[in-house]
Amino acid sequence: MSLELNALINGELMNNGDWLEIISPIDNKPYGRVPALKEKEIKQAFQTARQAQKPWAKLTLFERISYLRKWADLLLVHKTKLAKTMAYEVGKSLKDGQVEVERSIEYIDYTIEEAKRVFPETLTGDGWNVQNKLGIFSRVPKGVVLAISPFNYPVNLSIAKIVPSLVVGNSVVFKPATNGSLTGLYMAKLAHEVGFPKGVFNVVTGRGRDIGDLLVLNPEIDVISFTGSVAVGNHIRKLGHGKDLVLELGGKDPALVLKDADLAKAVKEIIGGAYSYSGQRCTAIKRVLVDETIADELVARLKTEVSKLEMGSPLENKAIIPVIDIKAAEFVQELIDDALAKKATLVIGNQRKDNLLSATLIDHVTADMRLAWEEPFGPVLPIIRCKNVEEMIMLANKSNFKLQACIFTNDINAAFKIAGELETGTVNINGRTQRGPDSFPFLGIHDSGQGVQGICETINSVTRFKGLVINY
Ligand code: NAP
Ligand code: G3H
């Protein structure tokens, strides 16, 4: 057991004597432990968050910023250790972990700058019977934000919820994913060092299935910002009814490859988009819809590149690393087995040792196969051959996931037309699907989510208008 960290409630690092083991995906053995909090501690976290919120909001923006800047500085100083913690608890390569911390520091800097530009809107009344009114509409914090993050970006997807909330004067109760809790509590330890006012920022840990409902149902909550699976997201949609919700859920992002595409570019983007972090990204390319006249060439080129992806430990910065746990690997295997049993063609891969799956490419996937529709969260990419662009659009839109899509073509007019037809949050032309840059609005619709993230949009989601009307 190498790491044991405490929760953060009311400015104190604490535990309740019950512990939750964190199993490393590297060797499926315990790497550390975090407090398994119960109802009493959860309630306390929300009560203190509620008490702390108004005094925090009354500080000047620059006072709040100074705490966040100190935190950012410490996160940067601890970049290597945070990356090591992520490597052990979520299997992210050391290199990618460091990049994630750097990206998050940039996120904090950008958020701070945007917070300085949250100006009130001033409107003159000039309509029905009103020419003697001046309205000043300011954005004020909503109150207490519950932030729940997934395992795959333990630093970035936490910062993306916590920092916009705090900077504008909300208080936060943050629950990291179980795999991701050591990183979350490491960040909490650094926040404790900064000395945020007591209760402003709380970090609670425990299994989602044990404490999730206790968290979501707490009456002190004003906003729930959740990123994770559709199943849990939909559960929160029901329970959290009446609270403001931002839900970022799963994806099955398609890459549409038209017959005039620059194949070298498409291949590079598809490989990075599909296989980085072993496909454990909501925005990973999770299906390729290709014009049948160029499919053989595309598949041959993809195969060459997949064969170069090295598999192994995140500590050695390998491209293909173990997925989060054995259950996740078994699910990916099920999807592969189902496709192969229904006569899809294995191009390369389909080797597995426990939760380490090789990069797998499967051709001739058809609509009757689960792999055409379900989100694997692993290093497997299905190729679906299409007769024409209409079929690509039809298949792209038929998925219940609607996060992002990408189109590869040299015909920019066609790209614009197809983009207009695709029912999805964002369409990328000649580039992979991805969330960043973090200043862009990021959203999924239908099963992929509700509400919008991104630096400005998250600030909007944790604030509301408050109007002041001057009658003259
Ligand atoms: P998950 O299993 O849904 O877990 C997400 C978070 O919810 C974790 O903190 C989890 O805690 C917590 N949780 C579990 N049950 C809960 C409950 N009943 N009430 C409240 N919280 C609960 O998802 P994951 O496996 O971490 O992440 C993978 C999924 O997230 C994929 O579907 C992926 O596409 C999606 N994702 C989406 C985005 C996006 O922005 N659209 C980004 C990243 C990931 P425990 O870990 O303790 O169970
Ligand atoms: O896993 C979901 C993340 O929001 C994806 O972020 O596109 O930067 O990898 P990314």
Side-chain angles (χ1 to χ4, degrees):
M1 191 78 59
S2 60
L3 202 52
E4 178 182 290
L5 290 169
N6 283 317
L8 177 64
I9 296 180
N10 200 23
E12 306 293 336
L13 294 172
M14 57 77 69
N15 66 73
N16 60 351
D18 289 327
W19 295 93
L20 178 59
E21 278 191 338
I22 307 301
I23 307 297
S24 172
I26 294 179
D27 55 7
N28 295 299
K29 294 195 176 124
Y31 172 63
R33 62 182 197 169
V34 300
L37 298 181
K38 301 276 176 332
E39 187 169 7
K40 182 173 157 230
E41 296 84 40
I42 304 282
K43 272 190 178 161
Q44 195 201 349
F46 282 108
Q47 277 160 5
T48 61
R50 173 59 69 200
Q51 282 157 12
Q53 190 265 323
K54 283 207 171 118
W56 172 246
K58 282 194 175 140
L59 295 184
T60 65
L61 174 62
F62 284 87
E63 284 170 318
R64 291 195 298 274
I65 287 174
S66 76
Y67 288 104
L68 293 167
R69 277 213 192 287
K70 282 184 199 147
W71 195 33
D73 290 346
L74 280 178
L75 291 169
L76 197 54
V77 169
H78 288 256
K79 175 175 78 170
T80 317
K81 285 185 184 155
L82 282 163
K84 185 178 164 204
T85 311
M86 283 191 269
Y88 277 102
E89 73 167 339
V90 303
K92 184 160 286 198
S93 77
L94 291 172
K95 200 168 112 231
D96 286 352
Q98 297 205 18
V99 170
E100 182 173 336
V101 177
E102 286 162 11
R103 174 181 179 177
S104 306
I105 302 302
E106 197 179 286
Y107 196 108
I108 297 174
D109 285 346
Y110 207 125
T111 305
I112 285 171
E113 291 309 313
E114 287 301 334
K116 292 178 193 166
R117 288 169 190 81
V118 181
F119 300 122
E121 285 182 25
T122 308
L123 300 106
T124 51
D126 196 2
W128 172 75
N129 204 20
V130 282
Q131 282 192 313
N132 58 341
K133 285 182 190 286
L134 178 70
I136 303 170
F137 289 82
S138 308
R139 295 208 75 99
V140 295
K142 284 184 178 169
V144 176
V145 177
L146 167 62
I148 303 180
S149 60
F151 78 82
N152 62 344
Y153 277 94
V155 175
N156 186 264
L157 281 172
S158 311
I159 291 293
K161 298 173 186 310
I162 297 163
V163 172
S165 301
L166 289 178
V167 76
V168 294
N170 296 283
S171 58
V172 171
V173 175
F174 166 50
K175 185 243 177 290
T178 291
N179 280 82
S181 292
L182 287 167
T183 309
L185 294 185
Y186 197 130
M187 293 196 290
K189 197 170 83 157
L190 299 178
H192 182 255
E193 226 171 279
V194 168
F196 282 89
K198 282 179 188 297
V200 160
F201 177 46
N202 305 276
V203 187
V204 297
T205 50
R207 279 212 182 280
R209 63 170 177 259
D210 299 331
I211 61 167
D213 289 2
L214 284 172
L215 289 164
V216 170
L217 290 170
N218 190 286
E220 300 295 351
I221 297 169
D222 295 293
V223 185
I224 300 176
S225 175
F226 170 84
T227 301
S229 62
V230 179
V232 177
N234 283 339
H235 180 67
I236 292 176
R237 245 192 258 255
K238 277 190 214 131
L239 286 194
H241 184 69
K243 290 166 179 150
D244 288 357
L245 298 181
V246 179
L247 305 173
E248 297 293 346
L249 310 177
K252 186 75 180 171
D253 293 358
L256 282 64
V257 188
L258 275 58
K259 56 182 152 200
D260 70 336
D262 173 344
L263 283 190
K265 180 165 182 67
V267 166
K268 183 167 178 278
E269 294 294 311
I270 290 171
I271 293 290
Y275 295 104
S276 60
Y277 189 38
S278 277
Q280 298 175 110
R281 297 167 48 243
C282 57
T283 49
I285 293 176
K286 296 191 179 112
R287 49 193 174 132
V288 172
L289 306 172
V290 56
D291 188 289
E292 61 187 11
T293 59
I294 55 156
D296 286 345
E297 191 182 348
L298 179 74
V299 170
R301 287 188 187 217
L302 286 172
K303 182 182 177 185
T304 305
E305 294 309 311
V306 171
S307 70
K308 295 179 192 162
L309 296 174
E310 281 189 286
M311 181 163 90
S313 171
L315 301 172
E316 291 162 0
N317 287 315
K318 296 296 182 199
I320 301 295
I321 46 75
V323 297
I324 194 68
D325 56 28
I326 290 179
K327 200 169 143 221
E330 284 171 352
F331 177 69
V332 178
Q333 189 69 60
E334 255 180 48
L335 298 187
I336 295 174
D337 292 347
D338 174 75
L340 296 181
K342 290 175 181 157
K343 305 279 181 268
T345 318
L346 176 66
V347 180
I348 186 168
N350 195 23
Q351 282 159 3
R352 177 161 81 94
K353 186 170 182 310
D354 301 327
N355 53 330
L356 183 58
L357 294 138
S358 60
T360 300
L361 183 64
I362 301 192
D363 196 0
H364 300 288
V365 170
T366 49
D368 57 325
M369 300 173 191
R370 292 174 60 194
L371 192 53
W373 307 111
E374 295 182 38
E375 182 189 37
F377 238 56
V380 55
L381 181 65
I383 306 288
I384 303 176
R385 294 174 177 236
C386 298
K387 286 189 189 58
N388 48 40
V389 166
E390 288 68 34
E391 189 181 7
M392 289 181 199
I393 296 171
M394 184 274 291
L395 288 172
N397 286 345
K398 211 170 163 189
S399 169
N400 292 329
F401 290 111
K402 293 176 192 300
L403 187 60
Q404 294 205 349
C406 56
I407 306 169
F408 293 94
T409 176
N410 278 322
D411 181 345
I412 196 69
N413 291 335
F416 268 68
K417 278 192 196 135
I418 297 166
E421 296 295 318
L422 292 175
E423 296 158 8
T424 187
T426 300
V427 179
N428 300 267
I429 298 173
N430 291 325
R432 70 189 72 175
T433 46
Q434 62 183 6
R435 174 168 47 113
D438 292 320
S439 50
F440 283 4
F442 177 62
L443 70 155
I445 52 176
H446 291 244
D447 274 1
S448 291
Q450 167 178 333
V452 189
Q453 291 209 86
I455 290 172
C456 294
E457 295 302 333
T458 302
I459 288 178
N460 284 342
S461 73
V462 294
T463 53
R464 64 174 172 83
F465 276 121
K466 181 162 184 188
L468 179 67
V469 179
I470 299 162
N471 295 278
Y472 57 92

